[in-house]
Amino acid sequence: MFSRVLLAIDLNETEGARRAAKAALSLIAQSGGELHVVNVIPDSGMAIVGASIGQSLEDRILTEAKAALLDFANDQLPDLPAERMHVVQGTIYDRIIRTADEIEADTIVVGAHRPEFKDYLVGPNAARVVRHANQSVLVIR
């Protein structure tokens, strides 16, 4: 059932990412499936903001995000091949769903932060992934 699992992590929320990684590894151990991990760098929003940031800063942010994902994977996801680590940029929930579709994942594991009253139960990105994904979604608190 869990032949290809996409673990979506937020490297700014280290403890939640660790819990989600542990759950994803457990699913893979049970099924013998393949694990992929994605970290989404939010886009800069309005074009004027992106233009003021500049391409060199965007490139540096992407390079640093890839290095941070590699460090996380080396620590939490031993033996994960580099081609299964994905750093993408855009709207968080949309890029998680698109990455899952691109790699033909059958399951998405996503962490959820402690909700504020306005996003009761799960965070807004996790909730959107649950509502719109074509795959089964496991939300880890």
Side-chain angles (χ1 to χ4, degrees), residues 59-117:
D59 291 343
R60 192 174 92 209
I61 290 169
L62 209 53
T63 300
E64 289 174 6
K66 288 177 183 178
L69 180 58
L70 183 60
D71 288 344
F72 178 85
N74 286 337
D75 185 46
Q76 299 294 317
L77 306 166
D79 304 320
L80 183 70
E83 64 270 7
R84 294 191 200 159
M85 295 182 217
H86 312 275
V87 175
V88 295
Q89 188 171 16
T91 305
I92 294 169
Y93 70 92
D94 177 62
R95 293 300 300 180
I96 291 169
I97 293 168
R98 284 178 34 193
T99 302
D101 289 341
E102 288 168 6
I103 67 165
E104 299 178 351
D106 53 38
T107 308
I108 301 171
V109 176
V110 62
H113 61 78
R114 183 173 237 22
E116 297 176 20
F117 184 72

Side-chain angles (χ1 to χ4, degrees), residues 11-64:
L11 291 173
N12 294 316
E13 182 61 42
T14 310
E15 189 54 39
R18 285 187 182 125
R19 283 193 308 273
K22 185 176 178 182
L25 287 172
S26 178
L27 287 177
I28 294 301
Q30 292 173 24
S31 66
E34 179 179 285
L35 179 64
H36 288 252
V37 62
V38 65
N39 180 33
V40 181
I41 307 303
D43 59 13
S44 54
M46 298 172 24
I48 194 168
V49 175
S52 66
I53 288 176
Q55 190 61 47
S56 65
L57 181 56
E58 276 198 41
D59 291 343
R60 192 174 92 209
I61 290 169
L62 209 53
T63 300
E64 289 174 6

